[in-house]
Amino acid sequence: MGIQVEFNPDLALRAFNTEEREPEECLPEKLETETKHSFLKKGQRNYWLEGELPLLETKGNQQLSRPLASIIILEITHFKKNEEIWTKGTYIIKEVFDINNPKINFEGINKIK
């Protein structure tokens, strides 16, 4: 048995108000710059804390949207809930993107300025 840890180059959350999901597992109703939000992800996950990351929408099974926004993760904590490991944290939205614009905003975790 080993320690299962996932390294995430982005924060992928479900659509706002997805059924059978906690609010923190979902995107905020409206993406606005300089707003602070909580997130919750199942599993022990590591995120880069020294710069901006893309915020994505996930439909599950690694079906991800293009970046919706650029965020900075402020803090993360790992904890046990019903004998399962979870990761929770807070992030702030730095920039919101127009997903209909073909402009590339990130290359991996590197934000293009």
Side-chain angles (χ1 to χ4, degrees), residues 47-65:
Y47 294 95
W48 186 52
L49 301 176
E50 294 187 4
E52 295 182 41
L53 296 173
L55 177 64
L56 313 174
E57 181 181 328
T58 181
K59 294 186 184 333
N61 298 319
Q62 299 175 350
Q63 295 178 7
L64 303 172
S65 71

Side-chain angles (χ1 to χ4, degrees), residues 38-83:
S38 297
F39 71 90
L40 179 65
K41 298 288 288 184
K42 188 174 180 182
Q44 187 167 335
R45 297 164 181 266
N46 288 332
Y47 294 95
W48 186 52
L49 301 176
E50 294 187 4
E52 295 182 41
L53 296 173
L55 177 64
L56 313 174
E57 181 181 328
T58 181
K59 294 186 184 333
N61 298 319
Q62 299 175 350
Q63 295 178 7
L64 303 172
S65 71
R66 293 186 62 210
L68 304 173
S70 177
I71 64 166
I72 293 177
I73 295 179
L74 303 172
E75 62 182 349
I76 59 167
T77 302
H78 301 112
F79 68 101
K80 285 180 100 174
K81 175 177 152 184
N82 300 326
E83 296 304 312

Side-chain angles (χ1 to χ4, degrees), residues 15-44:
F16 174 73
N17 221 11
T18 298
E19 286 186 29
E20 299 182 22
R21 297 290 176 167
E22 298 290 327
E24 294 82 12
E25 292 180 88
C26 302
L27 292 164
E29 184 173 13
K30 186 172 183 184
L31 299 176
E32 295 180 296
T33 59
E34 299 305 319
T35 56
K36 192 173 170 181
H37 304 277
S38 297
F39 71 90
L40 179 65
K41 298 288 288 184
K42 188 174 180 182
Q44 187 167 335

Side-chain angles (χ1 to χ4, degrees), residues 3 6 8 12 14-15 24 26 40 43 46 60-61 63 66 77-78 83 87-88 90 95 98 102-103 108 111-113:
I3 299 171
E6 187 172 326
N8 295 122
R14 300 287 177 149
E24 294 82 12
C26 302
L40 179 65
N46 288 332
N61 298 319
Q63 295 178 7
R66 293 186 62 210
T77 302
H78 301 112
E83 296 304 312
T87 302
K88 65 180 178 179
T90 57
E95 184 179 353
D98 176 1
K103 178 184 173 207
K111 186 176 179 197
I112 299 173
K113 298 188 184 217

